[in-house]
Amino acid sequence: MRLLGTAITFSLIAATVVGAADAQPRLLDRLREIRAARSGKTGAAGAVSQTIRVGALDRSYLLLDAHRGAAPVPLVIVLHGGGGSPETMIPRWADKARAAGLVIAAPKGIGRSDRVGTWNAGGCCGEAVAKGVDDVAFVRAVIDDVSRKAAIDPRRIYITGFSNGGMLTHRVAIALGDRIAAAAVVSGAMFGNESAARTPVPMLVIHGEQDAVVGFTGGMSRTGFVARAQTIPFKPVRYAVDFWRGANGCTRAPVVTQQKGYTTERSSGCRDDAEVVFYDLPQGGHDWPGSTGGRARFGRFGGGGTAGGDSGPAPIDATDVIWSFFQAHTR
């Protein structure tokens, strides 16, 4: 059972919510992963598991190298949501990586099992926060490790994250702006305790107004076990957009465009061309819009669709939108 997909994240009590109907599929998935690991693969679209030492901890990430030719290529770091794993992010990016010749790194959060990981994003979530894990240092170490193993263009290193992973994405962009060319957050949040950004970073924010997990208007999550994993209320999505407008020195009024099923707000006139783009999905829930891989099987939170909001076709494909945004920015 995958705990991070388009339906819900942050399952810090996964063992108590997995029903008997899900036990057999999860066991089969785990057996496949074990067999793949023994052959040096992870079973996630051909990505290979890597282990690095960060402080006193052994941390791991999946590496998908679709690099072709001799020229250095972009690195995209993809952060899963709380209660998820790298295997839930790789399928969302595998086709794009192969089409564009990208290198994808999917780090693994801290959790009670290999399938349940969280990130310390300053106000959430779970075990990573309780243990004070330095996940920004982990991401920095992943960048360094991948750069030694693959032909990475240091001017085209990008990061994106979903939910709890999106929260950490904000933290990484703030702390590692001298290395990150652009960042994108899907269904994430800030907490109001962030440091000032070291340097302008182009930022893309995607969020659904019907999100029942990381609420569009902020506060404690309406999903009980997520609220219990928080130490600080979420700030509204508008707070995060305005934070990056200020950090990037955007002086022009945002240009707002209405599309079918969503609104885009683009802030330009920013230092170092570090624009801030906001996709507002009025019927969107807590999901990675357009995802066909890594979907959750939490039936009680939307039957594999969205956690709150319309379970019909998404008006955008988040992976396509994010990669288009990344392509426009080089550090």
Side-chain angles (χ1 to χ4, degrees):
M1 171 177 174
R2 286 177 178 162
L3 303 176
L4 171 66
T6 58
I8 188 66
T9 64
F10 305 120
S11 178
L12 306 177
I13 54 171
T16 65
V17 297
V18 177
D22 288 315
Q24 185 176 4
R26 180 169 181 172
L27 177 59
L28 292 175
D29 286 346
R30 187 61 183 143
L31 289 173
R32 293 188 188 101
E33 290 168 7
I34 292 171
R35 286 197 299 268
R38 287 174 178 170
S39 66
K41 300 291 183 181
T42 66
V48 179
S49 183
Q50 311 289 326
T51 301
I52 55 178
R53 189 77 171 175
V54 183
L57 297 175
D58 287 327
R59 305 295 301 269
S60 66
Y61 67 95
L62 295 184
L63 179 63
L64 177 61
D65 188 350
H67 178 211
R68 299 182 298 272
V73 298
L75 165 63
V76 181
I77 300 166
V78 296
L79 301 176
H80 63 75
S85 69
E87 287 83 0
T88 60
M89 291 301 286
I90 289 292
R92 293 170 176 155
W93 282 90
D95 289 345
K96 186 68 64 181
R98 295 188 179 103
L102 307 176
V103 174
I104 306 293
K108 179 185 290 187
I110 293 292
R112 298 177 183 177
S113 76
D114 287 342
R115 301 284 291 177
V116 180
T118 56
W119 306 107
N120 180 3
C124 191
C125 290
E127 190 168 348
V129 171
K131 292 184 175 180
V133 176
D134 190 344
D135 280 319
V136 172
F138 176 33
V139 172
R140 181 190 295 111
V142 168
I143 294 173
D144 292 340
D145 196 55
V146 176
S147 298
R148 289 190 292 266
K149 295 175 177 176
I152 298 302
D153 183 347
R155 300 179 67 239
R156 292 186 291 166
I157 297 174
Y158 308 100
I159 186 166
T160 184
F162 174 57
S163 197
N164 185 204
M167 300 171 202
L168 180 59
T169 296
H170 282 303
R171 298 269 166 167
V172 171
I174 288 169
L176 305 182
D178 57 339
R179 305 191 70 178
I180 301 297
V185 172
V186 180
S187 300
M190 300 182 90
F191 298 94
N193 60 354
E194 293 81 12
S195 302
R198 294 184 60 184
T199 186
V201 176
M203 177 62 67
L204 170 65
V205 174
I206 300 173
H207 211 114
E209 292 188 22
Q210 308 306 314
D211 193 330
V213 181
V214 182
F216 193 84
T217 57
M220 300 304 289
S221 176
R222 287 184 284 151
T223 303
F225 64 81
V226 178
R228 291 190 291 273
Q230 290 178 251
T231 58
I232 301 173
F234 299 130
K235 286 291 188 180
V237 178
R238 171 55 56 187
Y239 174 91
V241 175
D242 289 344
F243 175 94
W244 284 106
R245 278 179 47 82
N248 294 353
C250 302
T251 57
R252 297 176 190 165
V255 175
V256 178
T257 305
Q258 298 282 347
Q259 303 286 349
K260 184 178 180 180
Y262 66 98
T263 299
T264 58
E265 177 183 302
R266 187 176 300 272
S267 298
S268 58
C270 314
R271 292 197 304 272
D272 301 334
D273 294 324
E275 63 177 340
V276 178
V277 180
F278 173 33
Y279 276 66
D280 179 347
L281 282 60
Q283 298 304 315
H286 192 72
D287 63 358
W288 184 276
S291 174
T292 57
R295 298 177 67 88
R297 283 178 267 178
F298 252 121
R300 70 189 186 104
F301 291 109
T306 61
D310 185 3
S311 60
I316 64 170
D317 183 294
T319 303
D320 285 345
V321 169
I322 291 168
W323 176 237
S324 179
F325 180 76
F326 286 171
Q327 282 183 294
H329 297 284
T330 301
R331 189 177 60 80

